[in-house]
Amino acid sequence: MTPEALLAFDREHLWHPYTSMTDPTPTRLVTGASGSRITLDGVGEVVDGMASWWSAIHGYRHPILDEAVRRQLDSMSHVMFGGLTHEPAVELARRLIDLAPAGLDRVFLADSGSVSVEVAMKMALQYQRGTGRPERTRFLTVRGGYHGDTFDCMSVCDPDGGMHAMWSGVLPEQVFGERPPPLGGDVDAWAAGFRALAAEHADRLAGLVVEPLLQGAGGMHPYPAECLAVFREVADEHGLVLVFDEIATGFGRTGTLFAAEAADVAPDVLCVGKALTGGYLSLAAALCTTEVARGLSASDSGVLMHGPTFMGNPLACAVASASLDLLTTGDWAADVRRINTGLQALHEIDAVDVRVLGAVGVVQLDHPVDVPEAAEAALAQGVWLRPFRDLIYTMPPYVCTDDDIAAICAGIAAAAEAG
Ligand SMILES: *Cc1c(COP(=O)(O)O)cnc(C)c1O
């Protein structure tokens, strides 16, 4: 099919994320990707400022990751995980337990980030049942979060400004604290309100679900590490299962391997996804402590009632292990620091707010971005961006060179001007 025919069919028949079927925004045809670049039909190679929604940390067509998938194909691409296991799953779990904050040594392999959050929430609910508190069925969280698109995940997303606001009345009603203050903000004032809210609702709360250190798709909002200690204390004081959703922040993005490390706080359940496979295949995991695993196994059913068809997919596990090995044997921390330095140029852009944390750069405008206009302006600078709401941001692959990062900053400046 010609590019025109592909795009015409796509426009008629394929859903894209958060997009109208009757009046879709423009879609571009990708014909290849390599390193930090994607190739767009009619445009050519551009730097990928989005790392395919924050996942392709090592860049595209990495020889070691390509080889890991090929090698796994030669033995098997998939088998069911019910009653069966395999080396790729065991090897990945070993690595995750090794890298994750201490105590998280029970691994549930899920097929997407949203599913891992569903599993984490189910773990918390079943844990409360198993420990004699079945009346604890609600969750505490903070405003401004994003935890996925399935129903229980949506219930802990930001209830007002977020992408799931239209579902109020349909979703389980959770308890929302104020969004944590920005970096340099008043943690004590926020913490006092959050502690009071938790105390008020404690009898009915099963768990506390938050994105540590950086709220991603809910508004690209970094907040002080001290807030993580407050989450841990509140969870301990009231017997809540503390879930850290590190699907966006995990694997070095904010400057530590996990955002939780910034405050030396360990959750009871940790969700990882996105960058887990280096952006190759859909895979996520929910890791929990032995205590949570024992508690929930004492509930009526005695088992964790979840088991996706493609649980523990060997191809995905194999490439995830290879990606983690690349991280641990390479110097991702130096790359993230280097990218952070390059992204400081964003502060020159005239905007309501500019936020840079780790390998994340965010420019907030005083109006909703005209996404097609802004994306077009960035492409003219050789950069792929996908702004949302009033935000133009980048979470680039760690393999970006200094020149790539300079191009991304120029792309964001052009997008801010145009959109
Ligand atoms: C992307 C994301 C999810 C959802 O992951 P999917 O793989 O898209 O289902 C959940 N939580 C956070 C913090 C995310 O960034």
Side-chain angles (χ1 to χ4, degrees):
M1 282 170 92
T2 62
E4 294 71 31
L6 290 169
L7 285 168
F9 188 94
D10 180 280
R11 195 178 162 83
E12 283 302 307
H13 299 287
L14 278 174
W15 291 107
H16 283 266
Y18 318 110
T19 297
S20 164
M21 194 38 103
T22 51
D23 183 23
T25 46
T27 299
R28 300 205 170 255
L29 183 63
V30 187
T31 55
S34 180
S36 62
R37 313 294 167 108
I38 57 177
T39 304
L40 301 180
D41 181 64
V43 178
E45 274 197 359
V46 295
V47 180
D48 183 6
M50 310 309 293
S52 282
W53 271 339
W54 331 341
S55 63
I57 52 176
H58 305 297
Y60 302 96
R61 290 190 58 202
H62 194 291
I64 290 176
L65 301 185
D66 282 6
E67 181 53 28
V69 178
R70 275 199 209 97
R71 204 173 336 116
Q72 186 53 43
L73 266 178
D74 286 339
S75 59
M76 63 186 159
S77 42
H78 186 66
V79 290
M80 66 188 279
F81 213 51
L84 299 175
T85 194
H86 43 74
E87 190 170 0
V90 172
E91 282 294 330
L92 175 59
R94 254 178 11 94
R95 284 169 173 77
L96 285 173
I97 292 166
D98 221 35
L99 296 175
L104 297 160
D105 59 1
R106 311 286 163 146
V107 182
F108 189 101
L109 296 170
D111 37 11
S112 76
S114 300
V115 171
S116 76
V117 174
E118 294 280 344
V119 167
M121 293 174 77
K122 200 181 270 190
M123 283 174 169
L125 291 168
Q126 265 188 253
Y127 173 81
Q128 299 295 356
R129 288 190 176 210
T131 53
R133 297 182 292 187
E135 70 287 356
R136 287 179 168 243
T137 57
R138 296 170 77 195
F139 286 86
L140 177 63
T141 183
V142 288
R143 290 179 181 274
Y146 175 79
H147 298 284
D149 293 346
T150 57
F151 272 80
D152 254 20
C153 295
M154 290 199 294
S155 77
V156 284
C157 288
D158 187 56
D160 300 325
M163 51 183 104
H164 301 312
M166 70 165 154
W167 291 108
S168 64
V170 177
L171 297 173
E173 280 189 21
Q174 314 295 15
V175 178
F176 289 89
E178 288 308 313
R179 160 175 261 183
L183 296 176
D186 186 346
V187 173
D188 290 343
W190 168 82
F194 189 74
R195 287 180 203 278
L197 184 75
E200 184 189 334
H201 295 275
D203 301 349
R204 298 182 54 203
L205 294 175
L208 166 54
V209 182
V210 288
E211 295 158 280
L213 212 59
L214 172 73
Q215 294 183 307
M220 308 305 291
H221 175 75
Y223 62 87
E226 297 96 286
C227 300
L228 305 187
V230 175
F231 291 138
R232 183 69 269 178
E233 284 161 25
V234 163
D236 288 342
E237 187 177 351
H238 299 295
L240 315 186
V241 174
L242 178 61
V243 179
F244 277 177
D245 175 352
E246 294 230 22
I247 292 167
T249 54
F251 310 114
R253 180 58 69 180
T254 62
T256 47
L257 193 59
F258 293 98
E261 292 170 23
D264 207 10
V265 166
D268 303 308
V269 183
L270 173 74
C271 294
V272 293
K274 287 202 164 90
L276 175 60
T277 62
Y280 269 57
L281 285 158
S282 182
L283 183 71
L287 283 75
C288 75
T289 60
T290 297
E291 192 199 332
V292 169
R294 291 225 173 98
L296 79 83
S297 301
S299 61
D300 324 332
S301 67
V303 300
L304 178 62
M305 292 305 287
H306 213 100
T309 305
F310 289 97
M311 187 167 180
N313 175 258
L315 285 173
C317 289
V319 74
S321 284
S323 175
L324 295 181
D325 290 349
L326 270 181
L327 269 184
T328 52
T329 57
D331 201 351
W332 62 268
D335 283 332
V336 170
R337 274 196 304 272
R338 185 177 53 76
I339 291 170
N340 184 279
T341 303
L343 291 177
Q344 298 301 329
L346 295 176
H347 287 289
E348 287 157 27
I349 297 173
D350 184 24
V352 170
D353 194 24
V354 175
R355 308 187 274 274
V356 179
L357 173 74
V360 183
V362 186
V363 171
Q364 183 165 14
L365 305 183
D366 63 1
H367 56 271
V369 180
D370 181 328
V371 176
E373 287 286 332
E376 189 71 36
L379 284 179
Q381 301 290 323
V383 178
W384 169 245
L385 297 174
R386 182 81 181 161
F388 70 102
R389 290 180 9 207
D390 54 354
L391 302 167
I392 304 174
Y393 75 97
T394 180
M395 291 224 208
Y398 302 165
V399 295
C400 277
T401 62
D402 291 347
D403 287 347
D404 289 342
I405 299 300
I408 288 171
C409 291
I412 292 177
E417 185 83 17

